Amino acid sequence: MFIFFSSAQSTLVAQGDLLIFPKRLNFEEKNRTQQINLANTGKDTAVYNMSFVEFRMTEIGAFEEISEPDLGQKFAAPFLRVYPRVVTLAPNESQTVKVQLVNLGKLEEGEYRSHLYFRAVKNSKPLGQDEAKETNLGLSVKIEAVFGVSIANIIRKGVSNTSITISDLKYEEEITSNNHNLSFDINRVGNMSIYGDIAITYTSKEDKLYEVAKVKGIAVYTPGTLRKMKILLQKPKDINFKGGRFNVIYTENESKEVIAQKELNL
């Protein structure tokens, strides 16, 4: 069994017994080497293999593995070196992995992206192999999951001309589940990806402000131009979301600068 996870909404990526920080790497010509901290929180010694994988991001934020870049997409893997590529960690042990920008002379202007994939090897059998053994009742099979997690590695050369807008903002109340959702589109135009956090506030008719949702780590990766969002709202007590207004604020992850904002009057 193979299970894949991609980093998403926390500052510390965790999968199984492996903790990873940071959850993404950004490279520029003046920022050529970065470090990743790995920690084994489990009770057993574990081996982790590192390699690059390539993905496209769909409109709903899912990742699809690809071997060739889409139109307008560039892979970062040919310009990155990882060392070491295999790490063995005892219980509660940590280690630093370095990722270095190389082949700078071959970099053209634009953005390059690949995902560094960490795969745990629990034993000496080939990865994902089922363990079979004879019993009195016949053949039994033991299936062990192989866990993996990836983080985006992005190289940027040149000046960004990317702009972001939020559109098609809609409020929905699900009567059967009593859930309250806000859906909207994030639209990207330009030569670079965007990555940031979403905060949603509600202002009542009495002009009282409530924070009703917060989601970290929302990306729109090149060459994609659209990210469709649907966020579950936390309804304050005695508030019915009628007659007020919602405000969606999309802020850049590093600088916290507001990059897009949209209001919806109810």
Side-chain angles (χ1 to χ4, degrees):
M1 180 185 297
F2 174 78
I3 301 176
F4 168 77
F5 295 85
S6 180
S7 60
Q9 299 174 6
S10 64
T11 57
L12 189 71
V13 178
Q15 178 52 49
D17 297 326
L18 178 65
L19 297 181
I20 304 173
F21 179 82
K23 62 181 178 179
R24 66 198 303 267
L25 299 179
N26 289 319
F27 295 88
E28 298 175 351
E29 290 184 273
K30 62 182 179 180
N31 182 21
R32 301 183 183 182
T33 301
Q34 296 200 46
Q35 295 184 345
I36 303 171
N37 298 310
L38 307 180
N40 178 12
T41 62
K43 298 179 180 179
D44 300 315
T45 296
V47 179
Y48 302 99
N49 290 337
M50 279 149 279
S51 61
F52 284 105
V53 291
E54 311 297 348
F55 294 108
R56 70 165 60 94
M57 174 178 274
T58 69
E59 292 181 354
I60 61 171
F63 285 114
E64 297 175 349
E65 188 169 0
I66 56 177
S67 57
E68 297 294 331
D70 291 334
L71 182 64
Q73 183 175 3
K74 299 177 182 179
F75 292 158
F79 305 96
L80 296 174
R81 183 179 68 169
V82 181
Y83 53 98
R85 280 187 172 268
V86 180
V87 173
T88 301
L89 295 177
N92 299 315
E93 185 178 18
S94 61
Q95 182 172 330
T96 297
V97 173
K98 291 185 178 181
V99 185
Q100 183 179 32
L101 183 59
V102 296
N103 300 325
L104 290 177
K106 298 181 180 180
L107 273 177
E108 300 177 352
E109 287 205 356
E111 180 180 283
Y112 302 73
R113 173 174 55 88
S114 293
H115 293 248
L116 185 57
Y117 176 49
F118 301 82
R119 186 172 185 172
V121 184
K122 290 294 185 182
N123 50 50
S124 59
K125 299 194 304 296
L127 289 176
Q129 176 177 304
D130 300 341
E131 180 183 317
K133 56 186 177 182
E134 293 285 348
T135 69
N136 293 332
L137 299 177
L139 183 68
S140 68
V141 177
K142 179 183 178 182
I143 299 176
E144 291 191 1
V146 177
F147 291 97
V149 61
S150 77
I151 64 173
N153 285 230
I154 296 174
I155 304 169
R156 288 175 172 170
K157 183 176 182 180
V159 178
S160 173
N161 60 15
T162 296
S163 62
I164 302 295
T165 59
I166 295 173
S167 64
D168 203 22
L169 191 56
K170 296 177 182 177
Y171 165 69
E172 177 186 35
E173 180 180 358
E174 298 177 1
I175 304 299
T176 55
S177 62
N178 198 32
N179 286 338
H180 302 262
N181 304 300
L182 204 63
S183 62
F184 54 92
D185 294 342
I186 302 175
N187 309 282
R188 186 196 66 83
V189 177
N191 61 345
M192 304 287 184
S193 300
I194 197 68
Y195 183 85
D197 304 330
I198 296 286
I200 301 176
T201 61
Y202 173 75
T203 303
S204 67
K205 292 185 295 184
E206 294 75 28
D207 209 31
K208 189 171 182 179
L209 183 68
Y210 303 87
E211 183 174 86
V212 293
K214 193 167 188 178
V215 184
K216 295 185 177 181
I218 301 299
V220 186
Y221 287 129
T222 59
T225 59
L226 173 65
R227 178 78 184 266
K228 302 186 80 65
M229 302 293 301
K230 184 176 181 180
I231 297 178
L232 178 66
L233 305 176
Q234 303 299 316
K235 190 174 75 70
K237 186 178 180 181
D238 299 326
I239 293 295
N240 58 15
F241 290 149
K242 292 182 180 179
R245 67 182 182 275
F246 289 107
N247 189 19
V248 179
I249 305 172
Y250 189 24
T251 56
E252 193 171 23
N253 185 257
E254 289 83 4
S255 67
K256 305 302 179 184
E257 177 185 354
V258 175
I259 50 180
Q261 188 170 352
K262 187 76 171 179
E263 282 194 354
L264 173 66
N265 292 309
L266 301 178

